[in-house]
Amino acid sequence: MKLAQHLKLTGLMLMSITLLAACSTDNDQEQSANVEESITTNSTQDSLVVTNFSANSPRKEVAYLTQEQAKKRSNRVSDVTYQLGFELTGEKDFKGQTTINFDLSDADSPLTVDLNKATIDSLLVNGEKIEANYNQWFITLPKDTLLTGRNTVTIDYTRLHSTNGEGLHRFVDSVDGRVYLFSHFEPAAANQMFALFDQPDLKATYELTVIAPADWTVITATAETSITKTGKSNIWKFPTSKELSPYNFSMHAGPYQVWSDNTGKYPMRVFIRQSISEKIEPEYWFKYTAEGLEFFDEYFGIPYPFAKYDQIIVPDFIYGAMENAAAVTFAERSFTNSAEMTATQKQRLASVIMHEMAHQWFGDLVTMKWWNGLWLNESFASFMGTLATAEATEFDYAWRSFYASNKQSAYRQDQTVTTHPIEVPVPTSANAFDNIDAITYSKGASTLMQLRHLLGPDVFRKGVQNYLTKYSYKNAELDDFIGSLAQAADRSLDEWKDQWLYHAGVNSISADFQCTDGKITSFVLKQTASKDYPTLREQKVQIGLFGFGDEVSGASKFKLTQAIPVIYRGEETKVEQVIGLSCPDLVYSNYQDWGFVKVNLDPISFETAKQHLSDVDDPFLRSMLWQSLWDSANDGDLQLSDYLDVALANIGKEKDYTTLGQSMGGITSAMNYLKLLGDKASNYLQQVQPRLESIYWENAINNEQGSDFQRRWFLAFVGKAETSTGLSKLKNLLDGEINIQGISINQDDRWSIIYQLNRYDFADGLAFIEKERLSDKGDSGEKRAIAAKAVRPDAENKNYWLNEIQNPDSTLAYPKQRSVMGSLYTSEQSELIEATADDILENLAALDQSKDRVFMRTYAGSLIPATCTEASVKRLAEYIKQNDQLSNGVKRSLLLAHQNDERCVMIGGKFSSK
Ligand SMILES: [Zn+2]
C-alpha cells in the first residue's frame, strides 16, 4: 500500500508517506514548521472496549483479532476456498452469499468466522441450517456442527455499503448521480464485505459471481469468463483466483470509464469515474505499467503471477494506492490533474505504479504471516519501486528524489521522541497500522538499499529470487527473507539484523582528517549515536573527495577527485586508502547516498559548501549540500537569516528540477519558522519576503516557456505570494488581466490562487470561491472550495469550521473534513491558533473516545496547537503529563508537536537578523 502525501507539509517531498490533507497539485510547497509530518494511528475505538468472553465464544467479543487467536485458527484451518456471490444495485445496501470450504484439524472446540455488521439471513454448516451465534463482528460455529476434515459453511446476508473507505465503499457522483463501488481490505476489512477467516496467513482461492446493473463493469483479481444479461442486470462470472491472503483480494464495480492496452506482455486496463475521465492521461499509465512489468519479470525471475493488470482510480480513497492482486486501486485526489501532468506528477505516477507492482510479487505472491511483517512488505516495495523507476523509466534520477524526500522524512522521524525500531510486535489486527510511517517505509527501504550495497547487487537479487521462489503462494517471516539473503551472500546477517531492525535511531558520521603540504596525512571516519539510541552500526559508504579544478579559465568548479568505498564499524574507522592524496576542499562521507546516516560536514567542507553551492556540477552532491545547509539551520547551528542568504543567492541558479523543488522546500520551512517567531522576526520577514517573491516571479517569467521548470517556479510563486504586490499579481492572473507567456492557468491553479487570496484575506476572496464553484461543480472543486474557506484568517470563521469537524452530528463527510483540517491553521495564524488552543486540547480526549482512528490521525496530526513560545511548549508538556489515557496515536502526535515546538523556540532563541 502507498500512504499518500500530507500535502500541507510536503513541499519538498515528492513521495512522503503521510496522508492527511486534501488537494493535489504541485503547489504544495506549504510546509508548516510547527507540525512534523506523522502517521499517528489511533487504536480504534473498538480496541479500547473489551467486553467479556462469552461462554460459547473462543475469542474476545471485539472487532479485532489478536495474533494469538489468529495463530490458533490457522493451526486448525487449512486449504480454504471461498465462493462469493454479490447482488449489487447501487442502493445503500447489498446482498451477499459466502460459501467457505476448508479443512479442520479437529472439531474439539468452536470456530469463528469474521463478518462485520451484517444482517444474517441464513447460516448453513455442513448441510445443516442453524441459528447464527453472531455479535456483529464474528459468527461462532458450535463444535458439534463442525467436522474433522472438510467442512462447508454457507452464509447469506445483507449489509450496508461502507462509507469510510474500507470494506465495499459506495460513492455517489454529485455531478451525474452515478454510483461507484470499490473495495479496500488492508489490514483486516474484508469482513466488511464477506464472511471469512480474515488474517493474512490463511490464504485462499476466491470464485466470484456478481449481479450488477447493466451499465456497470465488475473488476476483481481475475478476468471474467462470462457476462450474461438478465432483465436490467448482468451476471458476471469469474474463474477461481490463485491463492491470496484476504487483504490482497478485491472487487470494484460501477459504470467506470475504461481504457485497454493489449500491446504489452500482459493485458492492461485503466478505470476511472466517467465525470472526471478527462483528468488522466492513460497513455502514461500504460507506458509505465508495461515498463514495470517487463522490469520485474526480469528482476525477480518469476513471471507476473496474475495474468492481467488492472488499475482503478477511485474516489474517497483514504490511502495513496493499494496493491490488490491484479486490480490495484489509486486515490483520485493524488492521481488526477486538470491539465497535462508536470514532470513531478509523472514521476509520482511512475513510482507509485512501480511500488504497487513490486507488491504483486513481494506481498501478494509471498505474504507476511502477521502484521509485524507489514514493514518489510512496505520497505521492500518502496525500495524496489524506486529501483524500477530509476532503471525502467525516464526518471533515472529516482534515487535522488528518494533522498530529497522519503529519506529526509525517515531521518527526521528517527530523531524524534516517538521513533521506534523498524520491526516491532503487533499484538492485534487493530494495531496493524500503528507503526506504519516513515520508519516503516523509508528507513526500511534505505536499510534494504544499504544491504544491497553491502552484499552487492547480484547477491542481493539472488537472495530475493530464492526467497520468492521458495515461498510462492505461501506466507513467510523476516527470518525467511534474511535467511535467503544470508545464504546467497554466504555470511551471517544476525548482527546486521539486530543493529538495523531491532534498534531505533540514526547514526552520524564525520570525516576527521589532516593535511600537510597539500597531502592527506590522516583520515578517520567517526561514528556517533544519540544517547537515547546508542547503537552503532556496520555500513558500507562511499567517501567522496572534491577539489577545485585548476582550469585556465579560472572558473571554480568542483571536481570529484576520489570516490572510495569503505565499510565502517564502531566509533572510529581509519581510512588508509586516502593517505597521500591531495588535500580536499570538501569531503562528503556518504557520496551517492549508499548509507542511512547523517553526515556532519567538517568546518572546511561546510564553508566550501556555503561559498560554492551553485558551482557544484554533480546534482546529487548539490542536493546533499543543500540538505546539509538546511539541516544546520533546522538544528539551530546556522542562523535562519544566514541560511536564507545562501539559499536565495543560489536558488535562481539551481538547474536541476528535483533539487530545485527540494531547496524551495527548505526555504518554505525557514519562512514558516520566521512567521512563527512573530515580533522577533517581523522586521526581517518584511525585508526578505519581497525579495523572495521577486526572485520567484522573475524566474516564473524568464524560464523557458511551457517548461516544467517554468511551471515549478510559477506554482512556487503562487504558494509564496503574500505581499499586496504579490497578491495583486495573483488576482490579476486569475482575472486574466495579466498573463505569463508559457503558463496557461488551469483549474488546479485557479484554486491554488483562490486559496492564497483567502489565506491573506485579499481582494474579495469569498466571492472568487462562489464564482469558481459555478464552473467546477465536482467533488474535487468542493474540497478545494472548503479548504479556501477554512484557511481564511478570521476568528469566527475558525470557530465555525472547528465546530464542523468536532461536532458529532456534522453532516460533512470525512474526506471534506480532512480538507478543513489540512488548511485550518497556517504558520502566520498564531493568534488564531492561540484563540482556539484550549478548546482543542479540552476536547481532544472526548474526540479520541468517539472518533475512529483515520479521523484522529488527521485531527491530531494537524490541529494540536503549537505556537513557538515558552508558554505553548509548557502548555503541551502539562497536557501530556495530565492525559495519560489517550490513545497511542494521539499521544504520539502530542509528543511530536511538543518536540517541534521546543525546536522552534530553540531556533527562535538563536535568531538575530544582524
Ligand atoms: Zn505498499
Side-chain angles (χ1 to χ4, degrees):
M1 184 173 65
K2 191 77 208 174
L3 296 154
Q5 281 103 328
H6 184 328
L7 291 160
K8 190 179 173 197
L9 308 175
T10 52
L12 69 170
M13 299 174 224
L14 302 175
M15 291 293 305
S16 167
I17 64 114
T18 47
L19 166 143
L20 303 169
C23 58
S24 169
T25 70
D26 262 5
N27 185 27
D28 50 16
Q29 303 294 341
E30 182 57 31
Q31 221 190 5
S32 170
N34 63 334
V35 192
E36 183 76 65
E37 82 284 5
S38 63
I39 278 284
T40 50
T41 315
N42 184 350
S43 319
T44 59
Q45 214 30 54
D46 291 326
S47 70
L48 301 172
V49 183
V50 179
T51 53
N52 297 327
F53 276 87
S54 104
N56 297 323
S57 173
R59 69 193 240 212
K60 273 184 201 167
E61 304 227 350
V62 290
Y64 61 82
L65 186 69
T66 67
Q67 184 176 15
E68 206 190 326
Q69 289 154 357
K71 216 171 182 173
K72 272 188 192 155
R73 191 160 64 177
S74 59
N75 281 341
R76 297 177 71 201
V77 172
S78 59
D79 198 9
V80 185
T81 71
Y82 297 105
Q83 285 160 294
L84 305 175
F86 296 99
E87 197 177 329
L88 308 173
T89 58
E91 296 302 316
K92 285 184 178 172
D93 57 3
F94 64 96
K95 276 188 183 307
Q97 183 186 68
T98 305
T99 297
I100 316 172
N101 287 289
F102 59 96
D103 284 345
L104 191 64
S105 63
D106 71 83
D108 301 341
S109 57
L111 181 71
T112 62
V113 176
D114 306 299
L115 178 63
N116 177 287
K117 293 185 179 136
T119 304
I120 295 179
D121 302 319
S122 90
L123 170 62
L124 214 59
V125 184
N126 293 319
E128 204 176 315
K129 194 168 179 175
I130 64 166
E131 195 63 37
N133 175 3
Y134 180 53
N135 58 14
Q136 293 294 303
W137 296 310
F138 55 87
I139 302 163
T140 303
L141 306 175
K143 62 180 183 181
D144 55 10
T145 64
L146 297 166
L147 306 170
T148 301
R150 204 71 184 152
N151 287 262
T152 303
V153 176
T154 300
I155 300 148
D156 284 272
Y157 59 96
T158 312
R159 194 192 189 279
L160 283 173
H161 284 290
S162 328
T163 53
N164 63 352
E166 293 187 327
L168 187 56
H169 182 96
R170 174 176 178 269
F171 176 89
V172 184
D173 190 325
S174 61
V175 172
D176 55 20
R178 290 186 169 103
V179 174
Y180 295 88
L181 310 179
F182 68 88
S183 75
H184 179 84
F185 298 160
E186 192 180 16
N191 62 62
Q192 294 180 37
M193 187 168 115
F194 60 95
L196 78 161
F197 306 117
D198 204 349
Q199 61 188 73
D201 63 344
L202 279 172
K203 286 199 171 187
T205 61
Y206 304 78
E207 190 187 339
L208 185 63
T209 305
V210 181
I211 301 174
D215 61 338
W216 284 24
T217 301
V218 182
I219 308 143
T220 181
T222 52
E224 70 275 6
T225 39
S226 67
I227 308 168
T228 316
K229 199 167 164 41
T230 162
K232 284 184 179 169
S233 301
N234 283 334
I235 302 174
W236 293 67
K237 282 191 180 298
F238 296 87
T240 305
S241 75
K242 299 227 169 117
E243 282 193 60
L244 294 169
S245 289
Y247 84 94
N248 288 321
F249 178 71
S250 69
M251 180 189 80
H252 322 283
Y256 285 101
Q257 166 92 41
V258 58
W259 292 268
S260 305
D261 184 328
N262 296 321
T263 59
K265 213 167 162 186
Y266 307 96
M268 301 178 283
R269 294 185 297 179
V270 172
F271 299 86
I272 194 168
R273 277 195 288 138
Q274 292 187 34
S275 70
I276 56 164
S277 65
E278 277 155 26
K279 291 192 167 192
I280 62 160
E281 296 166 80
E283 63 271 28
Y284 290 104
W285 287 77
F286 292 132
K287 178 176 186 291
Y288 303 139
T289 304
E291 288 170 347
L293 285 165
E294 197 146 314
F295 174 85
F296 285 117
D297 266 9
E298 165 75 20
Y299 187 92
F300 291 137
I302 299 171
Y304 169 66
F306 304 117
K308 55 99 184 170
Y309 207 87
D310 288 337
Q311 296 175 106
I312 308 102
I313 302 148
V314 298
D316 283 354
F317 199 62
I318 51 181
Y319 305 105
M322 176 65 207
E323 68 269 21
N324 314 305
V328 181
T329 37
F330 291 78
E332 265 181 12
R333 114 196 128 261
S334 306
F335 298 96
T336 52
N337 316 291
S338 62
E340 277 181 27
M341 280 188 285
T342 62
T344 308
Q345 288 163 334
K346 284 182 198 164
Q347 188 185 352
R348 179 166 59 198
L349 175 62
S351 72
V352 178
I353 286 176
M354 297 305 175
H355 175 110
E356 304 310 330
M357 197 180 284
H359 275 309
Q360 302 294 317
W361 284 261
F362 203 106
D364 295 7
L365 178 65
V366 179
T367 315
M368 70 221 149
K369 277 199 175 131
W370 182 248
W371 300 109
N372 62 318
L374 186 56
W375 77 265
L376 180 60
N377 203 23
E378 292 308 341
S379 294
F380 190 84
S382 298
F383 162 76
M384 270 321 290
T386 311
L387 188 70
T389 308
E391 298 195 356
T393 75
E394 74 236 49
F395 308 105
D396 54 6
Y397 48 85
W399 283 111
R400 277 202 282 124
S401 307
F402 180 85
Y403 166 80
S405 56
N406 313 51
K407 202 156 183 176
Q408 299 311 318
S409 323
Y411 285 143
R412 269 194 304 279
Q413 197 182 343
D414 215 7
Q415 296 171 80
T416 63
V417 288
T418 61
T419 191
H420 56 83
I422 292 179
E423 168 94 17
V424 288
V426 177
T428 79
S429 57
N431 303 110
F433 284 174
D434 278 4
N435 291 300
I436 290 297
D437 53 23
I439 298 292
T440 321
Y441 278 73
S442 301
K443 183 180 178 183
S446 306
T447 300
L448 292 172
M449 180 61 162
Q450 164 58 205
L451 188 56
R452 182 175 183 252
H453 281 294
L454 191 68
L455 304 183
D458 293 338
V459 169
F460 182 85
R461 174 169 153 174
K462 185 94 178 47
V464 170
Q465 287 187 349
N466 291 347
Y467 168 80
L468 290 175
T469 306
K470 185 170 174 189
Y471 297 100
S472 280
Y473 302 107
K474 298 192 182 96
N475 296 85
E477 292 179 302
L478 176 62
D479 285 348
D480 301 322
F481 178 66
I482 296 292
S484 288
L485 291 174
Q487 197 179 21
D490 196 20
R491 63 162 273 186
S492 165
L493 288 173
D494 291 348
E495 203 179 335
W496 183 91
K497 187 177 74 176
D498 184 64
Q499 289 174 355
W500 282 100
L501 307 180
Y502 291 98
H503 288 92
V506 58
N507 300 115
S508 298
I509 46 168
S510 55
D512 187 0
F513 63 98
Q514 259 141 29
C515 296
T516 309
D517 299 334
K519 303 284 179 202
I520 300 175
T521 52
S522 73
F523 195 111
V524 175
L525 265 187
K526 291 189 168 172
Q527 181 177 200
T528 53
S530 73
K531 70 176 189 310
D532 294 336
Y533 299 103
T535 308
L536 296 178
R537 295 175 176 85
E538 174 191 12
Q539 292 216 56
K540 185 173 184 182
V541 293
Q542 232 186 160
I543 297 175
L545 305 182
F546 299 83
F548 289 109
D550 48 357
E551 283 112 42
V552 186
S553 68
S556 49
K557 285 284 176 197
F558 272 118
K559 269 203 296 221
L560 175 73
T561 54
Q562 290 284 333
I564 299 142
V566 174
I567 295 178
Y568 69 83
R569 300 176 186 89
E571 285 178 13
E572 295 198 355
T573 304
K574 279 190 186 162
V575 186
E576 301 289 352
Q577 302 96 304
V578 301
I579 306 295
L581 297 176
S582 295
C583 194
D585 296 298
L586 187 145
V587 174
Y588 200 84
S589 311
N590 188 20
Y591 181 57
Q592 291 181 329
D593 196 32
W594 292 3
F596 184 81
V597 63
K598 247 185 117 175
V599 173
N600 290 332
L601 289 180
D602 62 273
I604 296 170
S605 298
F606 189 73
E607 206 45 40
T608 310
K610 249 168 66 180
Q611 298 298 327
H612 299 282
L613 188 55
S614 50
D615 298 328
V616 176
D617 274 339
D618 177 343
F620 209 160
L621 177 64
R622 213 165 56 243
S623 163
M624 292 177 147
L625 297 181
W626 272 106
Q627 192 60 46
S628 290
L629 284 168
W630 169 245
D631 286 346
S632 300
N634 200 40
D635 289 344
D637 296 331
L638 181 69
Q639 283 276 345
L640 286 176
S641 52
D642 288 342
Y643 167 77
L644 282 168
D645 278 348
V646 177
L648 292 178
N650 286 285
I651 185 116
K653 298 178 202 157
E654 184 50 66
K655 296 299 174 224
D656 180 72
Y657 181 75
T658 302
T659 311
L660 179 63
Q662 176 197 358
S663 36
M664 283 172 168
I667 289 172
T668 299
S669 301
M671 296 299 283
N672 283 337
Y673 274 131
L674 291 172
K675 290 179 194 171
L676 281 164
L677 295 181
D679 290 348
K680 193 184 259 181
S682 62
N683 283 340
Y684 175 71
L685 202 51
Q686 275 172 25
Q687 295 162 30
V688 77
Q689 175 65 29
R691 188 171 152 217
L692 182 156
E693 280 181 24
S694 97
I695 291 170
Y696 282 28
W697 178 255
E698 291 301 319
N699 278 286
I701 293 177
N702 295 328
N703 256 282
E704 187 196 332
Q705 288 178 19
S707 64
D708 283 319
F709 260 84
Q710 187 190 26
R711 184 143 265 284
R712 174 151 267 174
W713 280 107
F714 163 69
L715 290 172
F717 176 78
V718 172
K720 282 269 128 310
E722 295 169 17
T723 64
S724 57
T725 316
L727 293 164
S728 297
K729 284 196 177 109
L730 291 188
K731 179 184 171 293
N732 292 336
L733 283 165
L734 193 65
D735 285 340
E737 284 168 29
I738 58 169
N739 60 66
I740 301 174
Q741 293 287 313
I743 297 285
S744 61
I745 310 260
N746 63 48
Q747 185 64 67
D748 286 336
D749 301 337
R750 294 184 66 80
W751 280 118
S752 298
I753 291 174
I754 290 169
Y755 179 90
Q756 195 72 1
L757 295 177
N758 278 282
R759 176 173 170 178
Y760 292 97
D761 195 15
F762 188 80
D764 202 356
L766 273 176
F768 280 116
I769 298 175
E770 300 311 327
K771 194 171 149 216
E772 205 63 24
R773 280 293 283 147
L774 299 176
S775 54
D776 185 11
K777 296 194 170 86
D779 185 60
S780 74
E782 190 181 350
K783 286 177 185 146
R784 301 291 306 256
I786 285 173
K789 285 179 187 170
V791 79
R792 291 181 60 78
D794 164 313
E796 211 175 305
N797 182 53
K798 299 297 181 193
N799 285 333
Y800 170 81
W801 288 107
L802 197 56
N803 185 49
E804 275 294 302
I805 46 181
Q806 289 179 341
N807 183 355
D809 303 321
S810 170
T811 52
L812 205 61
Y814 169 70
K816 313 240 152 75
Q817 292 186 329
R818 185 167 58 187
S819 299
V820 175
M821 293 187 260
S823 52
L824 195 55
Y825 297 113
T826 51
S827 43
E828 72 283 358
Q829 297 181 355
S830 285
E831 280 178 28
L832 294 164
I833 299 175
E834 278 301 330
T836 52
D838 291 341
D839 178 18
I840 287 174
L841 290 178
E842 270 161 31
N843 283 308
L844 195 57
L847 282 179
D848 194 26
Q849 286 290 316
S850 61
K851 296 278 192 177
D852 65 34
R853 68 184 191 281
V854 173
F855 176 91
M856 284 313 291
R857 180 190 296 172
T858 312
Y859 187 88
S862 318
L863 299 183
I864 288 172
T867 51
C868 199
T869 60
E870 298 281 3
S872 152
V873 171
K874 200 169 153 217
R875 177 174 59 206
L876 282 177
E878 277 171 11
Y879 185 86
I880 291 165
K881 216 191 305 171
Q882 288 160 11
N883 289 275
D884 198 42
Q885 82 288 9
L886 296 164
S887 65
N888 288 337
V890 171
K891 268 191 221 161
R892 192 189 284 197
S893 291
L894 281 161
L895 289 168
L896 279 175
H898 176 256
Q899 189 179 18
N900 289 323
D901 212 19
E902 262 184 332
R903 177 187 288 274
C904 186
V905 170
M906 178 274 291
I907 289 173
K910 297 185 175 182
F911 176 77
S912 94
S913 55
K914 285 172 294 187

